[in-house]
Amino acid sequence: MKSAVASLSNEKGTNFTLSDFEESIIGLDTEKATIICKELKASFGVEKVFDAIERALDIVGQKYENGEYFLSELIMAGEVVKEALKLVDTTNFADRSGKTGTVVLATVKGDIHDIGKNIVAMLLRSSSFGIIDLGTDVSAEDIVDSAKERGARILGLSALLTTSVPEFGKVANRLRSQGLKEHAKIIVGGAAVSEKMMEYGVDAWAKTAVDGVRTCRDWATRGVANES
Ligand code: B1M
């Protein structure tokens, strides 16, 4: 038997909007979100789909803050988006021009949010960067040791909790103490990030995943992302 959403999709063809997608995430409806996402990725670019995910999760976050949603809803919203993201194909985003390099990616210690980091990984991969994704809650020591071992010249760090942001400084300090600061660049992103992050000794901050990828490409083109 066809579900209500599936028949709605058949009736409407590709008439779903980004707002429908956002509402399905806010409404914690995995089935609806995946069906709509499948249609939207063809009609809108991936950037628009990612923006919609960010807007919807912002609203989920607000609902959590004002007590309308609880932790269980926050967890559910994350799961809805993870399912939808499985359907996003970033091939069309790909820019394979110029040089690339290897990026060590991690969500910093104390923080387990990974949706934004995973989007950055998807976009970097489609731009032919090699990705070493260390996951979430990763210490400064593990991040720098991994970059050193693998010869990565870009360290991409994500943080959504304001309490995790000082970890950026720990990574920069460890990189410096290992004598690697001159050879590697640190870029940070995530909801807790602003221009103020530059005070932690990082090289760049990005408001969106697309901005972050642009910076990495720029570094690669200038030769700073490749092993010497
Ligand atoms: Co949590 N959470 N959460 N959460 N959560 C936030 C971050 C919060 C703002 C919600 C709120 O209160 N409004 C709040 C933080 C408050 C603060 O620190 N100021 C919060 C809280 C409090 C918590 C807990 C403490 C709740 C609790 O346990 N009581 C807990 C902490 C756990 C921990 O980390 N130790 C917690 C847990 C969780 C879940 C596990 C349930 C779930 C995460 C699931 C997952 O990631 N797998 C969750 C969720 C879903 C959220 C919100 C609602 C959505 C986050 C998200 O994925 N956004 C979030 C509210 C919000 O952010 N507005 C919230 C979408 C994602 C695409 O955006 O990651 O910002 P973002 O990525 C963007 C850009 O920032 C950029 O690219 C992406 C696309 O453009 N970007 C980069 C990200 N990383 C980048 C790196 C780059 C470049 C760009 O270069 C390397």
Side-chain angles (χ1 to χ4, degrees):
M1 197 179 80
K2 270 189 194 157
S3 74
V5 185
S7 40
L8 178 64
S9 145
N10 288 341
E11 279 164 29
K12 292 180 79 176
T14 54
N15 287 335
F16 284 126
T17 64
L18 289 164
S19 304
D20 294 326
F21 183 46
E22 285 166 44
E23 276 164 28
S24 67
I25 295 169
I26 298 162
L28 311 174
D29 189 334
T30 309
E31 188 194 4
K32 195 169 169 187
T34 44
I35 287 171
I36 298 179
C37 187
K38 218 182 273 179
E39 294 202 4
L40 288 187
K41 66 172 188 178
S43 32
F44 297 85
V46 284
E47 289 187 44
K48 291 251 161 44
V49 173
F50 292 151
D51 287 348
I53 288 173
E54 210 172 329
R55 279 196 300 273
L57 287 180
D58 261 347
I59 293 172
V60 170
Q62 285 161 23
K63 283 181 182 290
Y64 173 73
E65 264 179 74
N66 67 29
E68 202 180 324
Y69 276 1
F70 296 98
L71 187 57
S72 52
E73 276 97 359
L74 215 55
I75 295 171
M76 190 60 201
E79 294 305 314
V80 171
V81 168
K82 285 202 164 177
E83 284 306 309
L85 277 178
K86 286 182 188 161
L87 301 172
V88 176
D89 174 5
T90 49
T91 327
N92 290 340
F93 175 85
D95 176 353
R96 297 200 172 78
S97 59
K99 290 182 177 167
T100 60
T102 303
V103 182
V104 164
L105 271 184
T107 301
V108 296
K109 195 169 173 56
D111 200 325
I112 61 165
H113 296 86
D114 66 355
I115 296 171
K117 171 186 68 62
N118 295 344
I119 291 176
V120 174
M122 285 165 77
L123 295 181
L124 283 172
R125 275 196 194 98
S126 23
S127 286
S128 302
F129 279 90
I131 302 298
I132 300 157
D133 189 345
L134 302 179
T136 61
D137 191 19
V138 190
S139 69
E141 291 76 16
D142 285 351
I143 294 167
V144 174
D145 291 355
S146 170
K148 195 174 174 182
E149 271 166 37
R150 308 289 287 272
R153 294 290 181 258
I154 300 179
L155 284 69
L157 312 177
S158 191
L160 271 79
L161 299 177
T162 42
T163 48
S164 302
V165 156
E167 288 295 317
F168 294 154
K170 291 188 188 166
V171 175
N173 287 341
R174 187 166 175 89
L175 207 56
R176 200 170 293 114
S177 72
Q178 301 268 316
L180 297 170
K181 190 72 185 75
E182 300 299 306
H183 309 284
K185 298 266 187 200
I186 302 174
I187 178 167
V188 300
V193 164
S194 66
E195 192 173 7
K196 230 177 157 323
M197 301 303 114
M198 302 306 286
E199 290 170 13
Y200 288 103
V202 304
D203 300 283
W205 71 283
K207 192 157 177 51
T208 67
V210 172
D211 287 345
V213 173
R214 202 172 291 130
T215 300
C216 292
R217 275 183 191 155
D218 178 48
W219 285 341
T221 307
R222 292 195 279 123
V224 291
N226 302 301
E227 224 173 323
S228 48

